[in-house]
Amino acid sequence: METDEFFRDHLARNPVLGIFRNLTPEKTVEMCERAWDFGVELVEVPVQSPDAFPALRAAIAAAAPLGKRIGAGTVTSVEQLTAVHDLGAAFTVAPGFHPEVVAGSARLGLPHLPGVATATEIATALAAGHTWLKAFPAKQLGPDWIAAHLAPFPTARFVATGGVDASNAAAFLAAGCRGVAVGSALSDPEALPALRQAVAAR
């Protein structure tokens, strides 16, 4: 499936992307199950070091019987890309725009979400054919950054990532984000109502 089609189809039904970093394999699977209960279709497990591979492997194994998609995050090198592809990751995410990872993902047919934080990075990613972009770090950029950059780049599809929770997810979606990456809020009973309201109001 093409990258645009992949993220459009999965995030159109539920704009929340689960992201679970630095957890044990068991806790990662538990969080994935909470995310799936919430209706989340895409979950990202960052693999900033090989220590995270067991958690990614466990999540992929738990997702397979359910037809869910697990992606690998913080993929910044071809070596990481090859490793997560071999493990069965359904998509990859990066904190920035890494040309070698972009090219490698295309070669493998793996949907890729590159990170952007400046107008130049947005323009570079769009020129490379990527319209779905990770706005990172979202909390520092803010919802106003999203709205301001959609004016000159109306074809960009931002997924706000980094510091997004139940308290600000609605603001990012209202600003025009097509997705928000949320972590611990998916296991917080007090945060879930606000998150549901944010999703319903988009």
Side-chain angles (χ1 to χ4, degrees):
M1 181 181 289
E2 295 292 330
T3 290
D4 284 1
E5 183 182 6
F6 178 84
F7 289 111
R8 181 194 65 211
D9 288 356
H10 290 290
L11 292 176
R13 289 188 281 268
N14 188 319
V16 175
L17 184 153
I19 178 170
F20 307 126
R21 181 190 297 272
N22 293 331
L23 301 177
T24 65
E26 294 77 13
K27 186 65 177 178
T28 299
V29 170
E30 178 185 328
M31 292 299 295
C32 286
E33 291 171 344
R34 291 178 182 273
W36 296 330
D37 288 344
F38 188 78
V40 168
E41 296 197 10
L42 300 180
V43 168
E44 172 192 343
V45 178
V47 292
Q48 64 277 7
S49 75
D51 292 343
F53 283 2
L56 175 63
R57 185 182 297 111
I60 290 171
L66 303 174
K68 303 296 185 181
R69 305 300 184 105
I70 302 294
T74 321
V75 176
T76 60
S77 71
V78 172
E79 291 74 18
Q80 284 176 300
L81 176 64
T82 301
V84 301
H85 177 261
D86 290 347
L87 286 176
F91 65 98
T92 54
V93 183
F97 187 85
H98 305 271
E100 69 282 2
V101 174
V102 170
S105 295
R107 187 170 58 252
L108 294 170
L110 206 56
H112 180 65
L113 189 69
V116 296
T118 68
T120 299
E121 290 169 348
I122 296 169
T124 300
L126 291 175
H130 283 267
T131 59
W132 284 84
L133 308 171
K134 167 181 170 174
F136 176 82
K139 183 176 181 180
Q140 285 70 27
L141 296 173
D144 289 346
W145 183 95
I146 300 295
H149 285 80
L150 281 173
F153 300 110
T155 60
R157 307 288 183 259
F158 292 118
V159 179
T161 306
V164 180
D165 55 28
S167 71
N168 59 10
F172 280 105
L173 292 171
C177 282
R178 300 301 181 94
V180 288
V182 175
S184 59
L186 287 165
S187 66
D188 183 352
E190 295 184 3
L192 286 178
L195 199 54
R196 286 195 184 90
Q197 189 172 13
V199 170
R202 67 191 163 114

